[in-house]
Amino acid sequence: MLRTTALSHTFGGHKRPVRALDGVCLTLAPGEVRCVAGSSGSGKSTLLRCLLGLLQPDEGEVLWRDVPLHTMNRGQRLAFRQAVQPVMQDPASSLAPRMRVRTQLREPLRIQRSCSRDQEDKRVDEALEQVGLERALGRRFPHQLSGGQQQRVAIARALIVQPTVLLVDEPTSALDAVVAMQIALLLRDLVERLGLTLLAVTHDPTLPHHLGATVDQMAAGRLVGQVSAAQWLAQARAAWQGLRAIPE
Ligand code: ADP
Ligand code: MG
């Protein structure tokens, strides 16, 4: 459905170039739930931005239903933008601070001009319900919400245009452990209920486990192998115990 041929991307000029992506081949099949997991700076966000067409790779291409993103015509591009929705890292900064929740949920529908005001309201109510938020919360501004509620709004905003694929950047990194688990389980539930395809990039040891996802490990811009969610968790535990073993 969504795939890449050896993607590479380098930031910076000639002086200190950073090869953020280095030959990344990834295939996302319909209905698949996948995590790309790696430490901070390994290139996860850069990969997502390339997959969304927000950043041009230096080498390789991203294909949506076998059409390279950079060759798409206007109609194909609009269809791609509707079908593949991002949930960006850090909901607090990805939501518009001065817009009430309802208004920012309605915004993508306004732009599409695909439905009437009544239909827009219905879609907004539906999206709020899908992410487990009460309608009354729609009247609030983002700063009047908890971190978990903000993340739910960010997910609702992605769902509002009825996508088939969600690309999610570190959905749990700004949240405490319990709320992080609730968000992970919400994503899993949405995948099942709506038949979505999901790719989440993360450094959270538990997210792949809660999502029931396989894990592609990423390091220094490369995919370095696949492990199960259980193996990924065990590796993180071992690393943590190694740290704790250091005497004070
Ligand atoms: P991750 O999301 O895994 O933490 P990123 O994809 O954000 O990693 O970054 C990968 C590498 O690319 C890092 O070394 C980062 O410093 C660098 N990088 C990311 N964005 C930019 C940018 N806009 N300009 C220069 N370097 C960048
Ligand atoms: Mg990142």
Side-chain angles (χ1 to χ4, degrees):
M1 187 137 79
L2 190 62
R3 74 187 166 90
T4 73
T5 60
L7 275 192
S8 295
H9 188 79
T10 303
F11 287 111
H14 307 294
K15 284 189 186 161
R16 298 183 68 191
V18 177
R19 201 158 172 80
L21 287 183
D22 191 1
V24 171
C25 294
L26 190 82
T27 303
L28 200 58
E32 197 172 5
V33 180
R34 175 86 74 93
C35 284
V36 169
S39 56
S40 189
S42 57
K44 305 182 299 291
S45 295
T46 306
L47 173 62
L48 278 199
R49 289 172 67 203
C50 284
L51 289 176
L52 288 160
L54 301 174
L55 197 63
Q56 277 293 336
D58 307 330
E59 290 159 42
E61 49 187 18
V62 177
L63 299 100
W64 166 247
R65 301 187 188 282
D66 292 326
V67 182
L69 296 193
H70 63 93
T71 68
M72 283 182 173
N73 61 32
R74 201 178 129 75
Q76 287 171 318
R77 194 165 284 273
L78 284 175
F80 170 75
R81 292 229 178 102
Q82 180 263 318
V84 181
Q85 282 290 315
V87 180
M88 294 303 197
Q89 199 169 345
D90 187 11
S93 58
S94 74
L95 297 174
R98 292 195 178 82
M99 237 189 231
R100 290 184 198 278
V101 166
R102 272 197 93 78
T103 320
Q104 50 192 311
L105 289 180
R106 193 182 284 130
E107 196 77 354
L109 299 175
R110 281 271 161 83
I111 293 167
Q112 277 191 348
R113 291 188 196 168
S114 53
C115 43
S116 68
R117 180 72 192 231
D118 278 357
Q119 286 169 324
E120 283 175 10
D121 275 333
K122 235 179 103 192
R123 265 307 292 142
V124 170
D125 289 340
E126 194 179 30
L128 285 170
E129 196 225 298
Q130 281 170 334
V131 298
L133 290 177
E134 291 186 19
R135 279 183 201 181
L137 272 169
R139 288 197 295 273
R140 295 201 195 166
F141 291 99
H143 74 271
Q144 296 169 323
L145 302 174
S146 71
Q149 288 169 333
Q150 287 174 346
Q151 188 59 282
R152 285 173 195 266
V153 172
I155 295 168
R157 197 177 50 178
L159 293 177
I160 198 96
V161 293
Q162 296 171 306
T164 50
V165 179
L166 287 187
L167 301 182
V168 187
D169 197 349
E170 308 232 17
T172 53
S173 63
L175 307 171
D176 71 58
V178 172
V179 178
M181 186 172 87
Q182 290 166 346
I183 292 294
L185 295 177
L186 169 68
L187 285 171
R188 183 179 183 151
D189 180 50
L190 287 170
V191 163
E192 281 168 17
R193 273 197 292 158
L194 306 176
L196 297 171
T197 303
L198 180 86
L199 175 69
V201 305
T202 186
H203 62 247
D204 180 342
T206 61
L207 179 68
H209 171 73
H210 294 314
L211 287 178
T214 46
V215 180
D216 287 292
Q217 285 183 286
M218 194 165 189
R222 288 170 170 270
L223 292 185
V224 292
Q226 233 177 38
V227 293
S228 69
Q231 286 167 318
W232 171 250
L233 186 58
Q235 278 177 20
R237 280 216 180 102
W240 176 238
Q241 273 156 7
L243 284 177
R244 279 166 51 113
I246 296 170
E248 301 216 342

